[in-house]
């Protein structure tokens, strides 16, 4: 049978439900739906080990925001979406007033579906050097630094190792990591942003686990922001086959390629660009008080 | 039922075979397999209207070269592959000694699976201006010009219209158009190059037919070089569903997205870069006598 | 002696004045200074052959707008500057209501100081295909197409030849060409935009004259928009030497390099990006009625 | 008077000589010229404080290789040049057999004359992760990691601070830093590579001193590889003015712009690309035994 891979807590819950005979309640997990500025927000809390095991995710809070409006480019969707995302980020981070933050973009800028992290970095306001060099002008601004960790093959250095090295020296109070994820369902690809207070294991969504980036390894809270940009072709095949009532199907086509094919939107380039901007602006609004979209435009231009 | 879309003549033949009760011979079509430098070559000739109708492709010659060796980066595969491809291009073009050639790269350089055309253009030796400005030095060189037709949304001009305008002025004796294609089978994606002496209808493979680029519209022979870089997700679903014996399956997931999802290799960036170089070098070897790979490296560096 | 090269009419006038014994009035040339939105505008009209010969420029109107405010990023400078530039472009073009326009970006996108043309193209609203495909929705919109002519070495086709081919087919009522220029004075580099109703000879500013793009060659009015982004190092040397009272100086350093060195701002990348956006928005405001900056942002995003 | 800025030891020596009444010998400095593969090599050794003060550079060895042949693209110049540079790098590093090396590319990839560092990084073979993951296959290969330190404005982190953080964790035995430099003479721009065993103060060549990257700050030997890609316009003016016999000249043009203008070759994009490849290949040949150009091509493709 095909493994069903997902990085999304909402999908892990679905998979649990779908598996045979799960008519009972899911213990150790709480979930609720809300709405903010017209965006649907689903919060899944994994409360204990039982919940963690059932969903195959660490204990913690997972917030999913649905961003269809943005991708459809509805009027005003960007401004409303950035505000909502900013509020959700602020809530999950529980940021202290003087907290400094290191924002890390994971992934490969040269491969579009993997470029959410580096692209978000470009939309994040960098202030640490300004605060240090011009304390009189910028003294009240939160110190934000940005790191793009690059790709192992072009650096020889694991992302986790790299971030640890930089975090040890900069000693930020909090870390945000942004990464592309794999989803199980086409309908969620480039339509969802997930926040989690659990940190991240980069590459886990596509079967390539490396060391964790989390409070355990960095010593400070790590908020993960992720966007599903692909579905693994094998996962898609398993879902389709099951729907066709053929659980043992082992499609010859897919087996030829193993896990090397992905499913992604035709408009992936525009989607990644739009969503990275949304996340960058959301981070900026969460980290700096009294900021408006127009101020961010000016700062980043 | 899902439509099965393909740009490849070899696949059109397969689809014909698979359709119900096609146990009889396919009339009006000839096909043969050969090998060159260890690369498998399949030639499909559509001889008349009957064949054309059966395969839903115009009368003409279609050559498919399998390039797995290249993608696996076997020793010497690039040099051998470029030589083979060069020979096949020369054969299908039936190039006259003094013929000038306009090479056109179709597609969108900013979207990786659509960038085969523009990337090939960068690997093609441009000589027209040299021959005209320095006839004494370059008088014996074939005149080659290169056009990247761009994307309708950024120019306001259809590719076919654009090429027609330029061809009318330059009056080349032959045109080569290079484009990304859609395949039906994952196993062919980025593993095949198709040559055709029929010209091309850009975008037809992904359901977006625009005016033809062919001998009829340009007045000179048009050789099309295409590489499948994606499978339409709907086509993949139809194949999988059929294999599962569920012909009426209408997977909820896919129907949500209609034709907006594609399946493509994880390594698409490297694949497009490698294959575009192969095609560019193949074109150079076909168009210029006594050229070696090293000469092309020097010219293009 | 060094040749003093300039593409700017205001500088041609200065050079004329500086040359020995030119105490008399300059015949055949009229000049006036005005201000719009706080931007200084200088209009030089070359009225006849006498003026043309004195300034070494064709008969016509040359408008120079000083954009220091924009480059210093003063509050609101972009909006005010785009409005002013839009008005000047509209005035010099004398555009008819139904006139269609072809906007051409000259120059090499890969070489920053030469990228004003291609970058402006990206900031220009392309509407021709919309008007043709959705006449009911876009019927009242002016038809604008955009052409980036590329570089001779990568196409084999001269810019002038290329534009002629496309203009013959599209039959626009007017053409705008945008190009980077060479200035004589450092103080004008990236601080000035020049409009001219005379068309352009691409490359003339850097000593590389090719065929003209003008009403004579295209059959329709051609408005040239240019920005000086470099000073030729030889021109700078000549000016400095003269100021030092050493007219015969032949600096050993410069003679070694001939014309191969340019002087350009350290901030050239930002400057080219800011100014290309200004010109694109100016063109959009000139070509489309009742348009606001925010509409352009939405259209281009 | 204008300050004459240079990052090159050979120029520092010239400036010393030119300054008034320096007819005596320069104490504390030794210099010699040699040739390798037809490339001229000048070695300047600053032996003590007296020499250091005279030349305004730290005590150490400075090797300058002239690369005109490469830029003129003479036959075989790349291969011969990479071999020569590799030998010079190996000599100045005095590399131990098992030494691991961290290669750092300084500068801004988005600004062509500042992109020598990041571009060289792309041409450097990264092996650290291979050695660690596949010790049986790569056990005998030297461990090389690569860091591109980015730009303060986009990270908030000083290059020196960043490199220190990474070096503390990776604990390489040696560091190589690659950076663009400022020259005093046009004739040296993009025509010279300088090696120094003294480390580097990034940005010092353009008047923007930040913390040093050197054995003192990193605890391991630091080899600096630099290429002059610009001349400061003020420095050029001072030189020209002096030649004109006008030592007190304060050119109005330049004073308007202060230090904000640079002089650079028209062909800077090609030059930076060619030279970065030369340095990357030189580093690879110095760090790995028995390597040939063709092996590097394969590894990097």
């Amino acid at each position: 049978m095909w493994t069903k891979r997902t990085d999304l807590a909402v999908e892990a819950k679905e998979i649990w439900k779908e598996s045979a005979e799960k008519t009972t309640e899911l213990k150790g997990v709480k979930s609720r739906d809300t709405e903010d500025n017209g965006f649907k927000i689903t919060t899944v809390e994994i409360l204990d080990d039982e919940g963690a095991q059932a969903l195959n995710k660490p204990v913690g809070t997972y917030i999913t925001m649905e961003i269809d409006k943005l991708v459809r480019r509805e009027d005003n969707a960007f401004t409303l979406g950035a505000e909502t995302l900013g509020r959700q980020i602020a809530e999950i981070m529980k940021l202290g007033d003087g907290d400094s933050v290191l924002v890390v973009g994971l992934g490969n800028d040269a491969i579009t579906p993997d470029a959410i992290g580096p692209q978000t970095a470009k939309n994040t306001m960098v202030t640490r050097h300004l605060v240090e060099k011009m304390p009189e002008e910028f003294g009240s601004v939160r110190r934000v630094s940005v790191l793009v960790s690059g790709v192992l093959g072009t650096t020889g250095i694991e992302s986790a190792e790299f971030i640890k090295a930089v975090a040890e020296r900069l000693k930020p109070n909090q870390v945000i990591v942004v990464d592309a994820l794999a989803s199980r369902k086409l309908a969620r690809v480039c339509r969802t942003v997930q926040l989690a207070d659990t940190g991240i294991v980069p590459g886990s969504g596509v079967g390539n686990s490396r060391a964790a980036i989390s409070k355990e390894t960095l010593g400070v809270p790590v908020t993960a922001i992720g966007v599903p940009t692909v579905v693994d072709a094998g996962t898609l095949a398993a879902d389709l086959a099951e729907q066709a009532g053929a659980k043992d199907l082992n499609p010859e086509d897919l087996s030829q390629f193993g896990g090397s094919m992905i499913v992604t939107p035709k408009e992936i380039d525009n989607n990644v660009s739009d969503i990275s901007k949304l996340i960058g602006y959301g981070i900026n609004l969460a980290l700096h008080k009294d900021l408006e979209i127009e101020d961010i435009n000016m700062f980043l231009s």
Side-chain angles (χ1 to χ4, degrees), chain A:
Chain A
M1 224 196 89
W2 297 89
T3 318
K4 292 179 190 174
R5 271 200 299 250
T6 179
D7 291 324
L8 298 176
V10 287
E11 295 193 341
K13 220 168 130 253
E14 288 173 4
I15 293 173
W16 183 86
K17 269 196 189 161
E18 289 163 14
S19 61
E21 292 127 57
K22 294 288 169 59
T23 55
T24 55
E25 201 190 335
L26 176 48
K27 280 181 191 162
V29 176
K30 274 203 323 202
S31 165
R32 68 176 179 281
D33 289 348
T34 54
E35 215 189 84
D36 181 0
N37 268 348
F39 293 90
K40 188 180 163 195
I41 310 285
T42 304
T43 307
V44 174
E45 284 177 84
I46 301 184
L47 303 166
D48 54 27
D49 279 2
E50 196 174 356
Q53 222 162 351
L55 300 194
N56 195 24
K57 300 244 164 267
V59 169
T61 300
Y62 300 82
I63 297 175
T64 305
M65 171 176 168
E66 296 183 14
I67 56 170
D68 319 52
K69 283 161 184 270
L70 178 84
V71 182
R72 285 194 308 264
R73 298 201 167 185
E74 287 186 10
D75 270 4
N76 220 14
F78 181 80
T79 301
L80 294 174
E83 283 171 14
T84 296
L85 184 57
R87 273 195 288 272
Q88 300 296 331
I89 294 172
E91 202 178 299
I92 206 168
M93 288 186 78
K94 301 182 186 71
L95 207 59
D97 258 10
D99 280 4
S100 63
V101 179
L102 171 63
V103 178
V104 180
L106 297 173
N108 189 345
D109 202 18
I111 297 181
T112 314
D114 200 24
I116 290 276
Q119 292 292 321
T120 296
K122 286 182 191 154
N123 286 292
T124 302
M125 293 164 61
V126 179
T127 58
R128 179 175 177 269
H129 60 304
L130 302 174
V131 180
E132 298 196 345
K133 302 217 156 156
M134 295 177 277
E136 282 162 32
E137 287 182 66
F138 290 92
S140 63
V141 171
R142 185 185 304 285
R143 290 166 46 183
V144 179
S145 46
V146 166
L147 181 66
V148 172
S149 65
V151 180
L152 183 59
T154 66
T155 63
I157 313 170
E158 291 280 2
S159 287
E161 202 176 358
F162 196 27
I163 297 165
K164 225 173 289 180
V166 173
E168 267 166 25
R169 175 159 284 267
L170 298 192
K171 301 196 190 315
N173 299 104
Q174 296 221 30
V175 169
I176 295 174
V177 287
V178 184
D179 200 6
L181 305 177
S183 167
R184 175 197 170 195
K185 292 217 169 167
L186 291 179
R188 285 207 183 83
V189 168
C190 292
R191 297 293 179 274
T192 325
V193 179
Q194 174 177 276
L195 314 180
D197 61 4
T198 57
I200 202 168
V201 182
S204 66
V206 288
N208 174 18
S209 286
R210 292 191 293 266
I213 299 162
S214 63
K215 191 168 184 179
E216 284 66 47
T217 59
L218 298 187
V220 297
V222 178
T223 301
I225 304 182
V227 176
T229 56
V230 298
V231 173
D232 181 89
T235 303
L236 177 66
D239 271 356
L240 290 172
E242 271 188 25
Q243 291 172 33
K247 295 199 183 196
D248 306 330
L249 177 74
N250 197 355
E252 164 246 14
D253 261 345
L254 284 164
S255 65
Q256 288 180 42
F257 271 77
S260 73
M261 304 295 287
I262 51 170
V263 189
T264 199
K266 272 187 204 160
E267 291 293 311
I268 183 70
D269 300 75
N270 285 335
N271 290 345
V272 164
S273 158
D274 286 0
I275 298 173
S276 300
K277 191 174 169 189
L278 179 81
I279 301 178
Y281 277 56
I283 290 173
N284 296 331
L285 293 172
L287 299 190
H288 304 287
K289 274 185 237 165
D290 305 324
L291 199 66
E292 305 201 356
I293 299 283
E294 195 49 41
D295 303 325
I296 307 178
N297 288 340
M298 287 287 290
F299 190 98
L300 293 177
S301 78

